[in-house]
Amino acid sequence: MNKKTIFIIIVAAVALITTGCSSIDYMARPSYVGFYSEGAKSVKQTKKTDYKSDELVQTFDDEFVYDEDGNIIKHTQTQYHQGTLGFDEFVMTYQKIGGVVLPESAAVNGVVYMEVEYDLLPVDHEGRIPEYTSVPVYYRKLFNIMMLQPMQDRWTMDIENFDMPFRVDGKYIVSEESFDYYYGFDSDSVLTTGYDNILLQRFYFSNAKLDEGLGIPSSSISTGLFGINRMISEETTFNFKWDVKADKLIHDGVEVIEVFRSGLVMNFNVEREFDSQARLTSEEWTVYDSKHGEEKMKTLYRQELAY
C-alpha cells in the first residue's frame, strides 16, 4: 500500500468520524428583529431558540394604534421570557404638537419609567438646535482615607446617554452609531434637544420604576471597599431652558437632577447669558450636592465671550 492510498484512508476515516458522530443545527438569537413597514397594526415574531427543539417559540408581539391621519399614537410590545410562561409588556405612547408626532411616555407592566415633554416656541427657526459648547462632564472625588487615594465618579450631562424605545424620525429621535473594540458597531435611538421650533422641555427616566415594572427587587446600596457608597443613580431628570431674543431661538441652559438610592441628590446646572443680538456672552457650570448643603454649591467652569 503506497503513501497516497494510506492518506486517502485516513481522510475518509476522519470524515466518517466527524459526520457520523455529530450533527449540524441552527437557531435564531432570541433578541428583537427590527423591521420597517408603514401601517402595520400587529406583528408576531417566533423563532427557533433551542438546538434540541424544532419548535418556533414566541419571542415578541407588537401592536400599533394610529390616529385618523395614520400617525402612530401607541405601540405595545410583549416580550416573552424564554423557557418560562412569563412575559413583559412595554407600552410606548406618542403625543402630537404642532402637527408633529413626538414621544410621550414608556411603561413596563403598567409602571411608567420614562416621560418626555416638549414646548412650542413662537420663533421662526428651522432645523436642528445648535450646540453652544461641548457636552458638560462633571467629576466628583471621594477621598478614601483607608486606601490613601481618591475615588472618582463621572457624570456626562448628555441626553444621548439614554436609549429610546420610540420610532426614529430623523429629527426628534435619531439613530446614533458607536463603535466598541470588542463588540463592533452598535446603533441606538436617542433624543435630540429639538427640531424647528419644537423643543425638548423635560426628560425623565427612572431606573427604580423600570426595575419595579420588571419585578426586580430594589437592592440595597452597592458598596465598594470598606463600605464606601458607590453612586448608583435611581432617577434622572433633564429640565431644558429656552427663550426667544432678537427673533432668535436661544438655549438658556439645562438643569440635570440625579437622585440616588441613599436619598442623595446631585443638581447640575448650565446657565447662559446672551446680548441684545442673541449672541452668547457667558456660560457657567455649577453642581450642588445635597449631602453637603447649599453652601457647598460649586462653580466648575465659566467662560466669557466678547464681540
Side-chain angles (χ1 to χ4, degrees):
M1 185 178 295
N2 58 37
K3 292 183 179 179
K4 182 177 181 180
T5 304
I6 294 174
F7 177 75
I8 293 174
I9 293 174
I10 293 173
V11 171
V14 171
L16 179 63
I17 292 172
T18 56
T19 58
C21 300
S22 63
S23 62
I24 298 175
D25 204 349
Y26 300 90
M27 61 185 286
R29 64 176 185 174
S31 57
Y32 188 74
V33 176
F35 64 93
Y36 174 80
S37 180
E38 288 292 340
K41 292 186 176 179
S42 66
V43 180
K44 293 185 179 295
Q45 296 191 9
T46 59
K47 303 174 190 176
K48 179 178 178 180
T49 58
D50 186 348
Y51 284 115
K52 299 178 182 178
S53 173
D54 290 329
E55 179 185 7
L56 296 179
V57 299
Q58 285 181 302
T59 51
F60 292 91
D61 288 347
D62 289 282
E63 292 184 4
F64 302 93
V65 178
Y66 303 89
D67 64 13
E68 63 276 6
D69 298 320
N71 298 308
I72 186 171
I73 57 174
K74 184 178 180 180
H75 174 199
T76 301
Q77 183 177 91
T78 303
Q79 180 178 353
Y80 295 94
H81 300 167
Q82 299 303 304
T84 71
L85 298 178
F87 62 87
D88 291 313
E89 184 180 81
F90 293 83
V91 177
M92 283 66 70
T93 63
Y94 293 79
Q95 56 189 312
K96 202 171 181 180
I97 298 177
V100 178
V101 176
L102 302 159
E104 182 179 54
S105 69
V108 56
N109 298 325
V111 180
V112 176
Y113 66 91
M114 183 184 294
E115 297 174 352
V116 189
E117 297 177 13
Y118 289 89
D119 197 10
L120 182 64
L121 263 67
V123 61
D124 186 19
H125 179 271
E126 295 183 357
R128 292 284 184 90
I129 309 303
E131 297 290 342
Y132 295 106
T133 54
S134 57
V135 174
V137 178
Y138 297 84
Y139 295 88
R140 177 179 186 267
K141 283 189 176 182
L142 303 174
F143 292 92
N144 189 332
I145 298 176
M146 299 290 291
M147 296 291 291
L148 299 178
Q149 63 181 7
M151 298 175 64
Q152 184 169 270
D153 296 302
R154 180 180 186 269
W155 288 270
T156 303
M157 300 293 102
D158 193 351
I159 198 72
E160 294 184 2
N161 291 340
F162 300 86
D163 192 18
M164 295 293 106
F166 306 100
R167 178 178 294 185
V168 171
D169 58 22
K171 296 179 179 179
Y172 303 92
I173 307 171
V174 298
S175 181
E176 185 75 15
E177 292 187 347
S178 60
F179 176 78
D180 183 272
Y181 181 81
Y182 295 100
Y183 300 102
F185 285 99
D186 190 21
S187 179
D188 295 324
S189 300
V190 298
L191 286 176
T192 67
T193 53
Y195 198 88
D196 291 344
N197 62 339
I198 300 177
L199 310 168
L200 186 59
Q201 194 74 27
R202 175 179 174 268
F203 171 77
Y204 166 83
F205 175 81
S206 173
N207 271 312
K209 292 294 184 183
L210 180 59
D211 288 347
E212 178 186 340
L214 293 172
I216 300 174
S218 298
S219 58
S220 59
I221 301 173
S222 298
T223 57
L225 294 174
F226 303 103
I228 297 295
N229 290 343
R230 300 300 297 154
M231 306 298 291
I232 302 174
S233 176
E234 289 289 275
E235 183 179 288
T236 303
T237 303
F238 282 75
N239 293 311
F240 291 88
K241 305 168 189 176
W242 306 95
D243 201 356
V244 177
K245 181 172 286 190
D247 295 325
K248 294 181 181 179
L249 173 67
I250 59 174
H251 186 188
D252 283 335
V254 60
E255 175 191 45
V256 183
I257 304 169
E258 297 274 12
V259 180
F260 301 89
R261 294 174 184 170
S262 62
L264 173 67
V265 176
M266 300 285 287
N267 188 305
F268 307 94
N269 274 279
V270 175
E271 296 285 348
R272 301 187 180 103
E273 295 180 354
F274 298 80
D275 64 14
S276 59
Q277 299 180 53
R279 297 180 301 188
L280 179 66
T281 58
S282 69
E283 178 169 344
E284 185 176 56
W285 300 355
T286 60
V287 60
Y288 164 64
D289 184 340
S290 69
K291 188 174 181 180
H292 300 107
E294 292 186 8
E295 70 277 8
K296 291 293 183 180
M297 181 176 287
K298 300 288 187 180
T299 296
L300 304 183
Y301 168 80
R302 184 172 178 84
Q303 67 170 342
E304 303 282 346
L305 296 86
Y307 300 90

